[in-house]
Amino acid sequence: AQKVTQAQTEISVVEKEDVTLDCVYETRDTTYYLFWYKQPPSGELVFLIRRNSFDEQNEISGRYSWNFQKSTSSFNFTITASQVVDSAVYFCALSERQGGSEKLVFGKGMKLTVNP
Amino acid sequence: DARVTQTPRDKVTEMGQEVTMRCQPILGHNTVFWYRQTMMQGLELLAYFRNRAPLDDSGMPKDRFSAEMPDATLATLKIQPSEPRDSAVYFCASGLAIQGAMGEAFFGQGTRLTVV
């Protein structure tokens, strides 16, 4: 069964600090997809990234970067030089390739507060 | 600008009453998810559909919850009878799964349900 664990429930940092959000997943499939979503205080869920299991290259998008390591079943998310606008709940999610019944399972989320 | 539309945005109801939440997925998406968000459980997958067929509703309390997709433009989640513990934000999301690959899921703005 697929499972996503975000061990940190809440982190508070001061603006300009770097922060890493951990995500560990469990799956029996060799083909799967990993996602990160952001939920700002307004409540909507915003897609950040999707990564397939065959692509272990790290990705960087502005201040955001993602580190995918199959050896440790982790897909960690780092925000560099955090800003107050980064304050949100961040969710990691997993979708296994199941031959027609793929679903999207989320971790419990991690609340990030960036203080000025 | 394609988006997932959920109605109502807010619903306050008395215990024992029937509640129906509606979702209009993005045209062309073949997968629709229903999630429930609470502080304790995060984003729980309640049910999902592929090409309007229900694939998995094991996340729902069967005795009181039901999910249907009467046509490609409408998904519904019904609670009858409602209980205070059902109070949560309910999200609908739609996405495109192609040959086992689940793409990005687009979320509606959610229905905030309060059962008193």
Side-chain angles (χ1 to χ4, degrees):
Chain A
Q2 58 191 95
K3 184 179 176 183
V4 176
T5 301
Q6 295 181 255
Q8 310 142 308
T9 55
E10 200 162 343
I11 293 179
S12 185
V13 299
V14 177
E15 211 170 12
K16 297 184 184 176
E17 279 187 45
D18 298 347
V19 58
T20 295
L21 315 181
D22 297 333
C23 173
V24 174
Y25 60 92
E26 292 178 30
T27 177
R28 294 177 186 168
D29 270 357
T30 56
T31 303
Y32 50 90
Y33 302 86
L34 295 162
F35 303 76
W36 275 95
Y37 281 80
K38 173 183 179 180
Q39 186 179 40
S42 54
E44 76 272 23
L45 279 136
V46 179
F47 167 80
L48 295 178
I49 190 171
R50 172 182 180 265
R51 178 54 55 94
N52 77 56
S53 54
F54 295 108
D55 183 2
E56 286 194 72
Q57 272 195 324
N58 291 335
E59 179 149 345
I60 299 174
S61 176
R63 297 183 297 107
Y64 294 172
S65 61
W66 290 269
N67 180 258
F68 176 29
Q69 292 198 345
K70 287 176 81 168
S71 60
T72 56
S73 297
S74 65
F75 187 44
N76 297 337
F77 173 30
T78 298
I79 301 174
T80 303
S82 59
Q83 300 177 0
V84 172
V85 293
D86 296 326
S87 296
V89 179
Y90 290 86
F91 291 92
C92 181
L94 165 69
S95 178
E96 294 176 330
R97 184 175 182 145
Q98 294 182 343
S101 62
E102 299 77 20
K103 59 183 177 182
L104 189 58
V105 173
F106 284 80
K108 291 195 174 183
M110 202 281 316
K111 182 178 180 181
L112 172 66
T113 302
V114 181
N115 297 300
Chain B
D1 187 22
R3 61 179 65 187
V4 176
T5 304
Q6 287 186 250
T7 56
R9 290 292 307 279
D10 283 279
K11 176 74 176 179
V12 180
T13 191
E14 291 186 348
M15 182 172 64
Q17 295 298 304
E18 178 178 301
V19 175
T20 298
M21 290 169 270
R22 293 176 173 81
C23 169
Q24 181 177 359
I26 293 174
L27 192 65
H29 283 179
N30 60 4
T31 306
V32 175
F33 302 96
W34 281 106
Y35 292 92
R36 174 171 63 184
Q37 185 176 21
T38 61
M39 289 292 291
M40 293 299 295
Q41 298 300 324
L43 272 170
E44 298 175 272
L45 178 62
L46 298 177
Y48 71 111
F49 297 80
R50 176 71 42 78
N51 297 318
R52 293 179 52 206
L55 289 186
D56 187 350
D57 61 0
S58 60
M60 292 197 312
K62 296 288 191 308
D63 56 336
R64 300 185 298 108
F65 284 58
S66 62
E68 294 181 348
M69 200 162 175
D71 62 61
T73 65
L74 177 65
T76 62
L77 180 66
K78 188 176 296 185
I79 307 174
Q80 168 62 19
S82 57
E83 297 180 2
R85 59 180 166 153
D86 300 329
S87 297
V89 180
Y90 291 81
F91 284 100
C92 174
S94 73
L96 192 60
I98 300 176
Q99 295 182 339
M102 186 69 226
E104 170 192 352
F106 293 78
F107 280 77
Q109 292 183 296
T111 293
R112 182 177 297 276
L113 175 65
T114 304
V115 184
V116 299

